[in-house]
């Protein structure tokens, strides 16, 4: 049976989904956290390119995926955009704003180095891998900061994701 893949870099970015679907972690998987049931696979890869590529490689080798969603947080260079705002960065969707996104391998806090509204550390790698296997791909980002390079507290990220959950849960 085909499944929907949800990818996040951090557990706190998808904790709301794990709780909502009452998923248990597959402890036999090494290198990243994996949760799944009959309909959904959640891969929590860790931050960055190599972690993302490794987790997605495992998922596509071991599951039949027909839809893939990257859900996570992103820095925003536009201080007029409120923290907690949800964007889709690869498609125009009804009821969710669109924003441009750049992926960097290191945290960026200089707005002059960024040509897009949002910045993260995984999305481009997620999209590149998924495009090899499927067409139904979404990248959803919640604004967590205005280019602050320190990693926010887990509780803060969980709250941001919970507050946006109603906007994107029907996309799964």
């Amino acid at each position: 049976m085909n499944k929907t893949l949800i990818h996040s870099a951090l557990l706190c970015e998808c904790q709301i989904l794990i709780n909502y679907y009452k998923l248990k972690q597959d402890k036999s998987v090494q290198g990243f956290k994996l949760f799944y049931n009959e309909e959904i696979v959640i891969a929590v890869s860790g931050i960055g390119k190599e972690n993302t590529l490794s987790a997605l490689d495992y998922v596509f080798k071991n599951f039949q995926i027909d839809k893939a969603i990257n859900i996570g947080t992103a820095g925003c260079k536009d201080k007029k955009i409120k923290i907690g705002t949800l964007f889709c960065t690869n498609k125009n969707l009804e009821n969710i704003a669109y924003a441009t996104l750049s992926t960097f391998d290191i945290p960026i806090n200089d707005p002059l180095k960024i040509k897009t509204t949002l910045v993260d550390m995984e999305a481009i790698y997620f999209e590149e891998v998924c495009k090899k296997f499927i067409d139904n791909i979404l990248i959803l980002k919640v604004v967590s900061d205005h280019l602050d390079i320190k990693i926010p507290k887990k509780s803060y990220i969980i709250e941001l994701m919970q507050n946006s959950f109603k906007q994107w849960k029907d996309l799964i």
Side-chain angles (χ1 to χ4, degrees), residues 41-56:
V41 176
I42 297 179
V44 183
S45 65
I47 295 172
K49 180 179 182 176
E50 295 309 317
N51 290 330
T52 300
L53 296 178
S54 176
L56 293 177

Side-chain angles (χ1 to χ4, degrees), residues 152-170:
K153 290 185 177 179
K154 291 176 187 171
S155 59
Y156 171 76
I157 299 296
I158 289 170
E159 183 180 335
L160 286 177
M161 302 312 287
Q162 285 174 334
N163 292 343
S164 69
F165 184 54
K166 285 183 182 169
Q167 283 182 271
W168 53 269
K169 75 173 185 176
D170 290 339

Side-chain angles (χ1 to χ4, degrees), residues 88-106:
C88 182
T89 65
N90 69 322
K91 289 185 179 166
N92 288 310
L93 298 176
E94 231 178 284
N95 305 321
I96 297 177
Y98 173 84
T100 55
L101 174 77
S102 295
T103 298
F104 289 89
D105 292 326
I106 57 169

